[in-house]
């Protein structure tokens, strides 16, 4: 079966359907540009939907806190104001300039676009797994690398491995639900935001540092974990009903690295206009890098309109880069 060819030429094609990609698509609609989003996952939302839909996010302006999936749902509602073509479970393999349009080849078809905005986040990703003997067999029972429903841990003894924002946030969110929450980190100091760590230390969460996982015990599910003190070699054992591992993720740009883009340590180099080294290709969100870059969702939301407005100007030099204020528009 050959590739399906969509002969329609869109003005903007967004590669990646995470939060930055969704806001990019919305803003393309604000600038009255036809837009298509191509996402490799079965659903929109990127890591927020795939890995931690129940996790709270605290650094989006206007929301003291908001669950990841709720943020994605609101972004999808925002995008729905315009006619945006959405292509799911479709991986972009190559992007090539053909005269005045880009030919975008995926594993399912061929698409055409006047400009491309890459919002691929960290690229393809998978969690860093627990490297202990027998760990894999528990992945179908009570060893978790992400949480899609907090309530499944109600009245359970939960151990969380990790020292970053996700691990600390999960521990704090589980505290009022679980019977007991223990967070285990191999260093004395956590990598999470200072405010989150302060809340952790004030909570009832059992904090074990500097400890690391040493062994898992159980037949069909984990019943106990043995922890080793990374300084003294002391071994202690905790009874558990569930284990959550937050060691971060292994990510890769995949085919993007072969598109001729200028890269730095796995990120796409852009200028202040969100332009890449290839005219007509822009990028926004965590996939980008430039001096002083901060990788936050809030930053990606700011980069998206910059990319769209400059793409608009690229297609039509007479178009203003600075758009009208949204408060003056009717939706």
């Amino acid at each position: 079966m050959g590739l399906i060819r969509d002969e329609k030429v869109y003005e903007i094609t967004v590669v990646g359907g995470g939060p930055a990609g969704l806001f990019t698509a919305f803003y393309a609609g604000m600038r009255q540009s036809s837009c298509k989003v191509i996402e490799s996952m079965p659903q929109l939302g990127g890591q927020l939907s795939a890995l931690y839909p129940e996790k709270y996010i605290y650094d989006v302006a206007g929301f003291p806190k908001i669950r990841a999936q709720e943020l994605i749902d609101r972004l999808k509602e925002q995008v729905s104001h315009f006619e945006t073509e959405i292509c799911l479970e479709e991986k972009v393999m190559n992007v090539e300039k053909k005269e005045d349009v880009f030919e975008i080849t995926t594993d399912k078809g061929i698409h055409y676009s006047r400009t491309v905005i890459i919002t691929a986040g960290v690229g393809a990703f998978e969690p860093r797994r627990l490297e202990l003997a027998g760990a894999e067999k528990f992945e179908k029972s009570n060893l978790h690398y992400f949480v899609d429903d907090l309530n499944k841990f109600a009245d359970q003894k939960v151990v969380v491995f990790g020292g970053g924002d996700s691990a600390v946030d999960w521990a704090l969110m589980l505290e009022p639900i679980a019977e007991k929450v223990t967070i285990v980190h191999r260093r004395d100091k956590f990598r999470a935001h200072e405010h989150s760590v302060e809340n952790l230390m004030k909570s009832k969460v059992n904090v074990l540092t500097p400890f690391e996982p040493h062994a898992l015990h159980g037949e069909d599910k984990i019943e106990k974990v043995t922890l080793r003190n990374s300084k003294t070699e002391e071994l202690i054992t905790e009874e558990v009903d569930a284990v959550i591992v937050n060691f971060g993720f292994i990510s890769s740009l995949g085919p993007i690295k072969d598109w001729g883009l200028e890269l730095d340590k796995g990120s796409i180099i852009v200028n202040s206009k969100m332009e890449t080294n290839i005219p007509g290709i822009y990028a926004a969100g965590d996939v980008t890098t430039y001096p002083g870059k901060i990788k936050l969702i809030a930053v990606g939301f700011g980069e998206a309109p910059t990319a769209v407005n400059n793409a608009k100007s690229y297609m039509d030099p007479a178009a203003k880069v600075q758009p009208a204020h949204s408060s003056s528009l009717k939706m």
Side-chain angles (χ1 to χ4, degrees):
M1 184 175 178
L3 295 176
I4 298 172
R5 186 182 296 268
D6 184 353
E7 299 290 350
K8 179 178 177 180
V9 179
Y10 286 79
E11 290 180 296
I12 294 174
T13 293
V14 180
V15 179
L22 287 169
F23 195 62
T24 299
F26 163 73
Y27 210 86
M30 293 283 282
R31 291 306 309 265
Q32 296 184 312
S33 294
S34 59
C35 182
K36 174 182 283 184
V37 176
I38 304 177
E39 166 58 49
S40 63
M41 300 289 287
Q43 73 282 322
L44 295 169
Q47 287 194 48
L48 271 65
S49 290
L51 300 178
Y52 37 81
E54 288 287 320
K55 182 174 177 289
Y56 278 120
I57 296 171
Y58 298 96
D59 52 11
V60 176
F63 295 100
K65 66 178 182 179
I66 184 170
R67 291 188 191 274
Q69 188 57 52
E70 183 184 354
L71 177 61
I72 294 303
D73 290 343
R74 293 195 178 203
L75 285 164
K76 287 161 65 176
E77 180 184 354
Q78 203 172 29
V79 171
S80 71
H81 286 293
F82 304 105
E83 294 183 5
T84 304
E85 181 73 15
I86 305 291
C87 302
L88 297 176
E89 291 188 90
E90 195 160 350
K91 186 177 182 179
V92 177
M93 308 304 294
N94 190 45
V95 175
E96 186 178 356
K97 188 71 176 286
K98 299 282 188 178
E99 297 181 356
D100 61 341
V101 300
F102 288 96
E103 183 179 86
I104 303 167
T105 303
T106 73
D107 57 352
K108 290 185 178 179
I110 297 174
H111 309 261
Y112 295 95
S113 187
R114 294 185 63 192
T115 63
V116 176
I117 301 179
I118 303 169
T119 57
V122 296
F125 55 86
E126 62 179 55
R128 295 184 185 276
R129 283 176 156 72
L130 190 60
E131 295 182 357
L132 288 180
E136 187 176 343
K137 73 175 183 179
F138 296 118
E139 291 181 14
K140 295 181 179 179
S141 55
N142 62 341
L143 175 59
H144 309 273
Y145 289 99
F146 61 94
V147 178
D148 56 5
D149 183 6
L150 286 172
N151 293 318
K152 70 170 63 172
F153 302 101
D155 302 320
Q156 292 190 356
K157 298 181 184 72
V158 183
V159 168
V160 180
F161 289 129
D165 285 304
S166 291
V168 172
D169 288 348
W170 280 130
L172 289 170
M173 291 172 68
L174 286 165
E175 182 203 359
I177 297 172
E179 177 186 331
K180 178 184 178 182
V181 179
T182 299
I183 186 167
V184 179
H185 183 39
R186 62 193 176 98
R187 295 190 176 94
D188 287 315
K189 188 174 182 180
F190 287 89
R191 303 187 312 276
H193 283 98
E194 293 88 341
H195 181 66
S196 298
V197 175
E198 181 182 359
N199 288 338
L200 178 69
M201 296 307 175
K202 292 178 180 177
S203 73
K204 296 179 182 178
V205 173
N206 180 29
V207 178
L208 293 179
T209 62
F211 280 88
E212 56 190 1
H214 180 73
L216 306 176
H217 309 281
E219 292 298 326
D220 298 326
K221 65 178 183 177
I222 304 169
E223 297 173 358
K224 295 180 180 180
V225 297
T226 297
L227 309 172
R228 183 179 67 88
N229 189 299
S230 57
K231 291 182 179 179
T232 67
E233 304 291 325
E234 173 195 5
L235 296 178
I236 62 173
T237 300
E238 288 279 322
E239 293 186 357
V240 300
D241 296 306
V243 173
I244 300 173
V245 179
N246 272 287
F247 289 159
F249 301 93
I250 302 168
S251 61
S252 170
L253 282 179
I256 294 176
K257 65 181 184 296
D258 300 319
W259 296 355
L261 297 164
E262 189 176 356
L263 305 174
D264 179 27
K265 298 177 182 178
S267 297
I268 300 171
I269 297 173
V270 295
N271 61 18
S272 61
K273 297 179 180 180
M274 297 296 114
E275 292 174 320
T276 70
N277 60 303
I278 300 177
I281 299 183
Y282 301 79
D286 284 356
V287 77
T288 69
T289 188
Y290 49 80
K293 166 75 178 189
I294 303 295
K295 294 196 175 187
L296 291 173
I297 293 172
V299 173
F301 286 163
E303 292 169 351
T306 300
V308 169
N309 288 323
N310 282 286
K312 181 79 173 180
S313 179
Y314 170 84
M315 292 182 286
D316 179 10
K320 293 181 179 179
V321 173
Q322 177 63 51
H325 292 292
S326 62
S327 57
S328 65
L329 301 175
K330 293 182 179 180
M331 295 181 62

